[in-house]
Amino acid sequence: MELLAVIAVLGILAAIAVLSIGGVIEKTRRDVCNANTAEVERQYERHLHLEGVEHSEAAFGQLLLDFGEEVCPVDGVIHYVDSEVRCSVHSEESPGDDEDEDDVPFL
C-alpha cells in the first residue's frame, strides 16, 4: 500500500513539474517574440526615416524577409499597425497578464 502512495505522490509532483515547465517555456516564447517585434519595429522605423518614405505593406514585407529569422517562435503573423509591429499571437496579451512564477499551478 505504501508503494501506491509513493507512486501517487510522485505522479502529482511530476504533473506539477510539467505544468511549471510548460509555463516557463511559453513565457520564454512570448519574451522572444516581444524582443524580436521590438527590433523589427526599430529597424522599420529607421528605414522609413532614412529613406523618407511612407509605410507600405510591400516595404514592411521586404523588411520581414530581410530580418533573416522568424520573428515569432510559434509562427504568429506579424503586422505593422498604428506605428507598432504586432504579433497575432503575443501582442494581444497585456504585459500585466503574466502569471506569478511562484504560484502553484492548478491541476
Side-chain angles (χ1 to χ4, degrees), residues 33-104:
C33 182
N34 289 337
N36 285 346
T37 55
E39 179 61 26
V40 168
E41 185 174 313
R42 281 190 293 275
Q43 287 183 16
Y44 189 58
E45 292 292 333
R46 183 175 35 238
H47 168 75
L48 293 177
H49 179 73
L50 291 175
E51 298 296 322
V53 296
E54 296 289 321
H55 161 68
S56 71
E57 290 298 320
F60 185 69
Q62 184 60 48
L63 179 85
L64 288 178
L65 289 175
D66 293 343
F67 191 69
E69 57 188 74
E70 65 181 30
V71 176
C72 177
V74 295
D75 298 326
V77 178
I78 306 302
H79 298 284
Y80 186 74
V81 179
D82 298 329
S83 298
E84 291 184 355
V85 175
R86 302 187 55 99
C87 170
S88 64
V89 175
H90 298 108
S91 295
E92 301 303 319
E93 301 171 5
S94 62
D97 287 346
D98 292 344
E99 290 183 25
D100 189 6
E101 292 153 5
D102 296 331
D103 288 347
V104 176

Side-chain angles (χ1 to χ4, degrees), residues 18-34:
V18 167
L19 291 174
S20 295
I21 290 171
V24 169
I25 291 171
E26 181 52 39
K27 183 180 182 321
T28 302
R29 287 178 178 153
R30 183 176 52 243
D31 290 347
V32 166
C33 182
N34 289 337

